[in-house]
Amino acid sequence: GAMDGTHVLARVPTKVSAAFRGRKGTTTQNVMAAVDFDLKFTYVLACWEGSAHDALILADALERDDGLRVPQGKYYLVDAGYAARPGFLPPYRATRYHLREYGGRNYPRTERELFNSRH
């Protein structure tokens, strides 16, 4: 499956707005969602401030009694905001990753770049 976070605009009381201010300056809520191999949502966690890091949200989701569970023998593809850990497969760091970086005849040159482009 795959998992990622997204920022959703949020209206919050002024006294807590600093915690909800995302990296683009607006008040947001960071929502994490996971989909299975059929691209069906299997888990959504929508309670974190926009300033919260994806890795912190994942740790919280894994600790909850009703939290995220990785099926035995499976894994989630995640972006570079998450660490490599059992059940979660991020791209290689400090290696080209985004499709636009491979435009034209700029093909992957190393095994890590090939992995990242297919990731």
Side-chain angles (χ1 to χ4, degrees):
M3 186 179 66
D4 201 3
T6 188
H7 288 263
V8 178
L9 290 177
R11 294 181 68 181
V12 297
T14 304
K15 64 183 177 182
V16 296
S17 66
F20 284 83
R21 198 155 315 279
R23 65 186 183 279
K24 295 185 179 178
T26 58
T27 52
T28 63
Q29 184 177 46
N30 194 343
V31 178
M32 186 186 78
V35 296
D36 64 14
F37 295 95
D38 295 320
L39 299 179
K40 295 180 181 171
F41 285 96
T42 58
Y43 188 80
V44 175
L45 181 60
C47 66
W48 281 90
E49 307 92 358
S51 62
H53 192 275
D54 289 344
L56 176 65
I57 298 169
L58 174 59
D60 178 53
L62 293 171
E63 291 174 5
R64 292 171 175 252
D65 291 336
D66 63 347
L68 178 67
R69 301 289 175 258
V70 180
Q72 186 69 27
K74 303 292 183 182
Y75 58 90
Y76 285 103
L77 292 178
V78 295
D79 67 21
Y82 301 92
R85 59 192 292 173
F88 300 92
L89 187 61
Y92 284 101
R93 294 185 184 271
T95 303
R96 290 189 306 162
Y97 175 67
H98 297 286
L99 287 176
R100 68 179 172 273
E101 296 174 308
Y102 295 105
R105 295 184 179 262
N106 196 13
Y107 303 112
R109 296 182 300 257
T110 67
E111 290 177 358
R112 287 182 175 204
E113 286 185 359
L114 179 61
F115 175 88
N116 281 2
S117 74
R118 291 181 176 173
H119 182 275

